[in-house]
Each structure stands twice: as structure tokens, then as C-alpha cells.
Amino acid sequence: MKEQLEQIKGSALAAIAGAETEQALEEVRVRFLGKKGELTAILRGMGAVAPEDRPKIGAMVNTIRAEIEESLSARFGDLKAQSMERKLREERIDVTMPAPEKKVGKLHPITQTSNRMVEIFTGMGFEIAEGPEVESTYFNFDALNAPADHPSRDDTDTFYFSENVLLRTQTSPVQIRSMEGKIPPIRMISPGRVYRSDVADATHSPMFHQCEGLVIDKGITMGDLKGTLATFAKAMFGERTRIRFRPHNFPFTEPSAEVDVSCFVCGGKGCRLCKGEGWIEILGAGMVHPNVLRAGGIDPDVYSGFAFGMGIERVAMTMFGINDLRLMCENDARFLEQF
Ligand code: DAH
């Protein structure tokens, strides 16, 4: 029995020394110390040993077991250290290698332009208002004083869901929504999407963006409108920018104007950007029509106000020198990366 134990010990220690991987070592452990292991088998066979010899044999088995365990754990530690070293060697980082290029995303030119507008107007104390893109004819036309035969109401120009529900054709309905239930002063802008039944070309798109503006208080005049838009234009296009009002007609304002900014490339002399005009049209504006104030529940004898509506694509295309509106919707990274 004693020789058998010595032999087990010898072959166990040899196997441990010969195990080259942690897995191989684990197999050695199972082979000798596992439930069906060689040493365990000896303990199981103790029944056949004479009772007076049992304590001696038991003590020997325990000693050998302890020796094998100690050797196992020492070898295990070695192998672990070796594999860690190998791993460190293999995964070594060459700090002199150029770093992989980091792709940083960018905001779409429309978003950048809209954000800048919001920044400028909120800086002047305007609040941001929102309205639904699926709108009623009441808010989109009737409350805005649009006559029943106004061409924009035509279903060749406007996307209708039903007789009274449409995709808003302008951000102006937010004017009415901002007035309802409010006591002036009101100072809001509302950037958002609008829809018109146009075929896409370089300057038309069935979906585009506008930024509406509305100010209502006692004693608001056209001078306030001019001052506000001049301040905006300088902040948006540069300190030397001037603005120009041309008479126009909108149902919801009286008087109404189209507003141009002096070309920020040539300063007004005429160049390619402004097509030789020296001026670039950016928005429509005017003094809020009394009927519109009434529709919003505001007394036109007490309050007055101005409104404006700006095309965001138009401003973005001018500022970034983009010549085809369709590029804005194509999501081509080569285009978008430039801005
Ligand atoms: N809603 C007009 C459009 O889509 C733009 C506009 C003009 C808005 C004059 C206004 C305004 O608020 O006063 O063409």
C-alpha cells in the first residue's frame, strides 16, 4: 500500500510538472484528486485494509494529498503568470501608431441654421412655440384671414387628409395657437416643417422649414418690426447687413412686406450669390391683421402686433452656398460633411 501511494505521488508530481496549460493542469487535478481520482480510490478501498493499519494509511493519504495540492497550486500560479505575460506581449500597444480617425457627426445645415435663428431670437426675449404639422383648415387658413378663394387653399397646392384636415402649408397657424387663451405681451418664434404639393426641383420641395415670429403688445408698430428684423439680420448675416422692405400682400398682415437683406458677399454691389441684385429675399412680414387678432381672442383696439415668416432652407442655402434644395434631403454624408 505504501509503495502504491508513493507511486501515485510520484506520477502526480511528474504530471503536474509536465502540464503546460491551466486546462491540462486541471485535468491532472481531476485525475488524482477528483471524485474518481486515483488517490480517492485508495480512500475508498480502506475497507480492505486491516483496522489497525487504517490510521497510518489515512495519515499517509492526507500527507500526499496535501503535497499534491501544494504542487498543483504552485504550478497553477506559474502557468497563470506565464499566460498573463504572453497576453501582455501579444496585446502590446504601439503608442507610436497614428490614432484611428474619429468620425464626429455634424448637425444638418437646416438644423444649424434653425438653431442659430432660435439663439438670436431667444436672445431678444422671444419664446419658442410649437404647433402640429397635421393642422385644421381653421388654423391654417380661416383664422389667418385667408379668403375662401385663396389659391393656397387649392388641393393642387395643399396636402389634404380630409376637407378640414391638412398638412400645414406654413408655420403661421402657430400665431393663432399662441394667442388663444393668452394675455399679451406675446413674443414667440416657431421653427418647424411645412408641406406643399410641389414637385421637387432645385428650389422647391414638398416639405421644407419655416420660422414664424409673432410679437403682440400695446403700441407695437412697424418700427418695432423693422428694428427687430434689422437686429436679427446683423446677428445672422454680419454687422454690416442692411434690410429692405418691399410692399407685398399677405392675408394675415396689413400692411405686408417682403423683406430682403443686403448681400453679405458683395455688400449690395451685386454678385453671383445675389444674382446681381445686391439683395436677397429672406422673409415675409407685416402688422398683424385685426381679423387675425380677433380670431386669436385679442382686442385689436387695445393691442397691435407684427409677424414674420422666414424660409429656413432659403437662409441656409444662401449662407452655405448650396444651389440645389434636393441635396438637403438626400442624406449623402459627402454633402453633409461640408458644413
Ligand atoms: N406664411 C407666409 C408664407 O408661407 C410667410 C409669412 C408672411 C408669415 C408674412 C408671416 C407674415 O407671419 O407676416 O409664405
Side-chain angles (χ1 to χ4, degrees):
M1 185 60 89
K2 198 175 164 217
E3 295 86 75
Q4 202 187 340
L5 280 171
E6 284 300 335
Q7 200 193 330
I8 289 176
K9 176 180 155 186
S11 53
L13 294 183
I16 289 169
E20 291 297 341
T21 63
E22 289 167 56
Q23 197 195 340
L25 192 61
E26 171 62 12
E27 278 160 19
V28 173
R29 188 191 67 76
V30 173
R31 184 176 137 206
F32 290 96
L33 305 183
K35 266 193 209 138
K36 294 178 185 157
E38 293 184 23
L39 204 58
T40 320
I42 302 270
L43 285 175
R44 288 236 171 88
M46 286 286 262
V49 175
E52 62 271 26
D53 289 339
R54 281 182 200 162
K56 228 175 96 198
I57 302 287
M60 266 180 83
V61 170
N62 284 340
T63 313
I64 288 172
R65 188 183 180 88
E67 279 173 330
I68 294 175
E69 271 170 357
E70 197 177 314
S71 168
L72 270 171
S73 90
R75 181 75 184 143
F76 193 75
D78 287 350
L79 288 176
K80 217 174 162 95
Q82 274 175 27
S83 73
M84 174 61 89
E85 213 171 288
R86 193 176 330 111
K87 215 168 151 182
L88 285 175
R89 210 179 324 112
E90 281 166 4
E91 293 174 11
R92 184 195 216 107
I93 292 169
D94 181 353
V95 291
T96 65
M97 290 269 283
E101 189 193 347
K102 272 224 173 80
K103 287 248 177 194
V104 180
K106 281 189 177 179
L107 294 177
H108 192 282
I110 297 291
T111 311
Q112 289 184 41
T113 307
S114 171
N115 286 355
R116 181 69 190 130
M117 289 173 177
V118 165
E119 210 170 75
I120 296 169
F121 281 110
T122 52
M124 290 195 262
F126 283 67
E127 288 175 0
I128 316 272
E130 277 186 79
E133 290 173 25
V134 175
E135 201 32 296
S136 67
T137 44
Y138 173 76
F139 284 110
N140 196 80
F141 293 126
D142 302 318
L144 288 166
N145 199 38
D149 59 352
H150 196 271
S152 63
R153 285 183 179 252
D154 206 290
D155 60 10
T156 56
D157 291 339
T158 299
F159 294 114
Y160 282 93
F161 292 101
S162 65
E163 203 187 327
N164 297 317
V165 181
L166 45 69
L167 283 173
R168 66 179 182 187
T169 61
Q170 49 189 358
T171 44
S172 304
V174 188
Q175 288 188 32
I176 307 296
R177 293 182 176 276
S178 313
M179 287 186 241
E180 285 186 339
K182 285 232 194 70
I183 299 165
I186 294 168
R187 250 177 306 177
M188 73 81 176
I189 55 160
S190 185
R193 290 195 186 91
V194 301
Y195 302 83
R196 288 181 198 178
S197 182
D198 281 324
V199 176
D201 65 20
T203 54
H204 294 84
S205 165
M207 183 281 295
F208 58 101
H209 298 74
Q210 291 186 331
C211 181
E212 195 76 13
L214 177 71
V215 171
I216 298 174
D217 202 352
K218 288 179 180 156
I220 295 292
T221 69
M222 197 113 176
D224 297 308
L225 171 60
K226 278 198 144 176
T228 304
L229 292 181
T231 304
F232 165 75
K234 284 181 200 299
M236 192 81 194
F237 301 103
E239 235 350 271
R240 301 159 80 122
T241 310
R242 287 159 293 134
I243 56 169
R244 173 174 89 170
F245 279 49
R246 281 180 291 104
H248 199 76
N249 174 56
F250 295 108
F252 29 84
T253 42
E254 183 57 37
S256 303
E258 280 189 328
V259 180
D260 304 335
V261 293
S262 57
C263 177
F264 53 86
V265 169
C266 65
K269 286 200 276 298
C271 69
R272 240 181 48 187
L273 179 70
C274 59
K275 301 198 179 69
E277 299 280 329
W279 297 91
I280 298 162
E281 183 200 324
I282 58 158
L283 58 85
M287 301 306 292
V288 181
H289 195 290
N291 288 349
V292 174
L293 290 173
R294 264 182 227 112
I298 289 170
D299 185 349
D301 293 328
V302 180
Y303 294 102
S304 59
F306 66 75
F308 58 85
M310 194 157 25
I312 300 183
E313 273 78 356
R314 196 180 186 103
V315 173
M317 286 171 79
T318 323
M319 296 223 315
F320 293 118
I322 298 166
N323 57 15
D324 193 324
L325 186 50
R326 288 167 291 196
L327 292 166
M328 301 280 203
C329 293
E330 282 172 2
N331 248 356
D332 186 334
R334 291 169 303 179
F335 168 75
L336 295 171
E337 270 165 7
Q338 301 173 66
F339 309 105

